[in-house]
Amino acid sequence: MEKLSKLRGFYLFLGLAGGSFGSYLTLLLVHNGLDSGQIGILMATGTLIAITIQPIWGIVSDRYNQTRLVLILSVAIPALLAVFYRSEYFIVLLLVYTLSTIFSSTQAPIADSYAISAAKRAGATYGSIRLMMSIGAAVGAYLGGLYVSSFSVSTIWLPFLMFNLIAVLIALTLPKQAEENHMMRQSFSQGVKKLLGNRVFLAFLGGSFLVNQTMTAFGTYFVIAFQSVGGSTRYAGIALFLASVTNVPSMLFASKVIKKLGRERTLLLGALIYVLRWGIQVAFPYPSVMIGVQVLHGLSFGFFYIAAVEYVSQITSNEMQATGQSVFNMVFSGFAGVVGNLLNGFLLNQGGVEVMNLSCMLSSIAGAMLLFYVARSSRSKLSTTKLSSDGARA
C-alpha cells in the first residue's frame, strides 16, 4: 500500500507539471516568434530523435539495474532545461526540446511498469493509479491558464520546475529496480522482432497510431486553435481542465468496462468516441463547442489508454513486459507524435481549424477500423479455444 501511495503521488505531480506547462508550451513558442508550422517541425524532429535513442534506456535500466535512476532523470532533466524555452532562436528551442524529449520519452513505459506491477500485487487496478496523473493534469491546466493570464507566459517554466522536483523527491523513495516485473530479460531487438511478428499486435499498433496522432491537435495545438476561433486563454484553461478531469471517473470506470467488454472492444469503444469527438468539432467549430466537447476526452483517451496498456501487458510475457510497453509507447507517443505534430501543424497553418479537425476525424475512423479487426480476431480466438476445450471434454 505504501508503494501505491508513492506512485499515486508521483503521477499526481507529473500531471501537475505537464498540465501547467505542456498545454501552454505552444503559446510560449508563438510568443517567441514561431508559427504553427515551425512548432510542428520542432516537435516532430525532437520526438523522432528521441525515438531512435529510446532503446538505450532499456539497456541502462536492465543491464545496469538502474530503473529508478532512469525514471528520476526522465523527470529532472526536462525540468531543468525548461528555463531555456525563453530563447527566441529556433535552433536553441529545437535543441532544448530534443534533449527534454530524449529523457522524458522513457517516463511512460517505466512508470507504467511500476504501476502495473504494484497494482497486481496489491489487488488494485492500474487505472486507480494512473488517474492521479489526470487529476494533476486537470488542476495544472486550469492553474496554468490562470498563471498565463496573470503573469508572463515566458515564466511558465517556474511551476513546471517546482512540480517536477517534488516528483523527483518521491521517485527517490521508490525501489531501485521493479524486480517483480522481470524487465527486459531478453534483448530489445529480440523482443521487438517477436512482437512485430504478431499480425493482430501490428493492427493494434496501427490503430493506436492513427487514433493518437489526432491527440497532438489537442495536446499541442489546442490553445492556438482555440484562440484562432475567438476563444481566450482563460477559457482555454477551463477546457483543458474539463478534458483532464473527465479522465478521473473514466479511468476508475475503465476496469469495469474492460471486465464486461474485454480489452479489445474497450479499445474500439474509445476509438469510436474519438470519431464522435472530432466529428462534433468538424460540424460546430466554435469556442463554446470546443469547450463542451472536452467532456468526451475522458471517455476517449481514458478508456483507450487504460485498455491499451493492459492489452500490451496481457499479450506479452512476463520477461517482455517492458519491451512491450516500450514498443507501444514508441508508436503511441513517439511516431504518432512525430506525424501528428507535422501533419496537424501544417493543416492548422494552411487550412485552419476546420481542415485539421476533419483530418483528425478521418484518421480516427481509420484507426477504429483496425481496432475492429483486433476485437474480431480476439473474439474468434476465444471461440476457437472454447470449441477446442469442448471437443477435448467430449
Side-chain angles (χ1 to χ4, degrees), residues 193-204 311 315 381:
K193 185 177 180 180
K194 186 173 181 179
L195 284 171
L196 298 186
N198 186 328
R199 284 186 299 176
V200 177
F201 188 72
L202 282 176
F204 159 73
Y311 175 78
I315 203 172
K381 185 177 179 181

Side-chain angles (χ1 to χ4, degrees), residues 82-136:
V83 63
F84 295 103
Y85 279 115
R86 296 182 300 173
S87 175
E88 296 180 357
Y89 298 101
F90 180 82
I91 188 65
V92 173
L93 294 171
L94 176 61
L95 181 62
V96 171
Y97 185 81
T98 300
L99 287 174
S100 296
T101 307
I102 285 172
F103 283 91
S104 65
S105 63
T106 193
Q107 277 181 20
I110 291 184
D112 286 348
S113 293
Y114 267 112
I116 292 171
S117 173
K120 287 180 179 178
R121 289 173 67 88
T125 63
Y126 165 71
S128 68
I129 300 173
R130 177 57 175 77
L131 68 86
M132 296 304 296
M133 191 170 187
S134 296
I135 294 174

Side-chain angles (χ1 to χ4, degrees), residues 46-273:
T47 304
L48 183 61
I49 294 172
I51 291 171
T52 62
I53 294 177
Q54 188 171 359
I56 295 175
W57 292 123
I59 296 172
V60 173
S61 174
D62 177 49
R63 183 173 299 173
Y64 300 104
N65 215 28
Q66 294 294 334
T67 302
R68 185 180 63 187
L69 175 61
V70 172
L71 190 61
I72 290 170
L73 290 175
S74 75
V75 179
I77 299 300
L80 296 174
L81 288 173
V83 63
F84 295 103
Y85 279 115
R86 296 182 300 173
S87 175
E88 296 180 357
Y89 298 101
F90 180 82
I91 188 65
V92 173
L93 294 171
L94 176 61
L95 181 62
V96 171
Y97 185 81
T98 300
L99 287 174
S100 296
T101 307
I102 285 172
F103 283 91
S104 65
S105 63
T106 193
Q107 277 181 20
I110 291 184
D112 286 348
S113 293
Y114 267 112
I116 292 171
S117 173
K120 287 180 179 178
R121 289 173 67 88
T125 63
Y126 165 71
S128 68
I129 300 173
R130 177 57 175 77
L131 68 86
M132 296 304 296
M133 191 170 187
S134 296
I135 294 174
V139 176
Y142 179 70
L143 294 178
L146 295 178
Y147 186 95
V148 170
S149 298
S150 304
F151 304 98
S152 172
V153 70
S154 63
T155 62
I156 194 67
W157 60 273
L158 284 170
F160 179 71
L161 175 63
M162 179 187 69
F163 290 136
N164 271 328
L165 288 180
I166 296 174
V168 167
L169 292 175
I170 296 173
L172 284 169
T173 67
L174 291 172
K176 182 180 179 181
Q177 177 76 4
E179 295 176 358
E180 62 269 40
N181 236 25
H182 309 287
M183 294 182 68
M184 287 188 167
R185 292 260 177 104
Q186 60 180 296
S187 73
F188 188 87
S189 59
Q190 287 176 326
V192 170
K193 185 177 180 180
K194 186 173 181 179
L195 284 171
L196 298 186
N198 186 328
R199 284 186 299 176
V200 177
F201 188 72
L202 282 176
F204 159 73
L205 290 179
S208 298
F209 168 82
L210 289 168
V211 166
N212 200 55
Q213 75 84 13
T214 71
M215 284 305 294
T216 60
F218 172 73
T220 303
Y221 301 111
F222 177 79
V223 177
I224 298 176
F226 189 71
Q227 288 182 331
S228 73
V229 295
S232 67
T233 304
R234 184 177 294 271
Y235 283 109
I238 293 174
L240 293 169
F241 171 82
L242 186 61
S244 295
V245 80
T246 55
N247 269 331
V248 177
S250 295
M251 289 186 174
L252 280 173
F253 191 55
S255 60
K256 295 182 179 179
V257 176
I258 289 171
K259 285 181 180 179
K260 186 173 183 179
L261 299 180
R263 295 175 179 87
E264 296 83 357
R265 281 191 274 185
T266 303
L267 281 168
L268 177 58
L269 176 61
L272 291 174
I273 299 173

